[in-house]
Amino acid sequence: MAERRRLLIDASRLPPSGEHRCFHLNDQEVRYLRKVLRLKPGGQVDVVDGRGHLWTALLIAGDQLELTSDRAQPHGTELKPMPQLGLAMALVRRGMDDVMRMTCELGVDHVQPLQADRSVPQAEHRPERWGVILQEAVEQSERLWMPDLQPRLVSGAWWMTPASDDLRLIAVTRDAGCPHLEAWLDQAAALAPRIWLAIGPEGGWSEGEVAQALASGWIGVTLGDTILRSSTAAVAGVSALCSWRTLSA
């Protein structure tokens, strides 16, 4: 089957139901369709809104796409995956771009950047760039839901932010008493509406952060016997979460 690429368009830009089906593209989108995809007038592309809907559209002259069906009649729909999966990621010096891209491709639903006690001053914080990376990853991976990227928070202000019925897991190292993430998911995650996994920075969480998290209802888990880079740990942890969700559906 021939590949047909996708374009993520914010729902606010799509034509309302019952009206004309054309909408304008910005310069970056025009370049992407014409230069990268080499789409010619009359060519077809899939349009997704990042909220579970897909339409097909035709490129028409100039900078416009035309939906082939009414806004109220998408060609594909997908319910929000449950439980929702969240990654609370401490800012690190390098690797955040890869974390955003890879965890989005895997299926994470929420990303919360954290300023941790041991986040270095050179740690990356580029939310505009990460938004672009997430959009490109949604298009590439053929997801219908766009992950939610939250504003940066200080770790101490974050531990009490998730809902009390969310399952809140913090990845720790060198603690033989903590269960492995996958074992804990198999035992206790079935009824949680949302599962959060918190990954620390280079050098790990401070003792104060771990103590505060545990006192706030977070549960310590490990990701294995070896010490992983923060970016590796984030991808490994989200991979385990998404695999568990798929197999338990």
Side-chain angles (χ1 to χ4, degrees), residues 87 95-108 111 130 133-134 136-138 140-141 143 147 231-236 238-239 242:
L87 171 67
M96 290 294 290
D97 288 3
D98 289 337
V99 167
M100 296 292 169
R101 176 176 56 82
M102 293 182 183
T103 58
C104 177
E105 291 177 3
L106 288 166
V108 77
V111 182
W130 296 340
I133 290 173
L134 290 175
E136 292 174 348
V138 166
Q140 187 277 327
S141 62
R143 292 185 59 171
S231 56
T232 305
V235 174
V238 169
S239 179
C242 293

Side-chain angles (χ1 to χ4, degrees), residues 45 53 58 75 115 130 134 142 154 160 172 184 189 208 215 233 240 246 249:
V45 65
H53 305 102
L58 302 177
H75 286 264
Q115 183 71 40
W130 296 340
L134 290 175
E142 300 188 356
V154 174
M160 290 296 293
V172 297
W184 181 262
T246 298

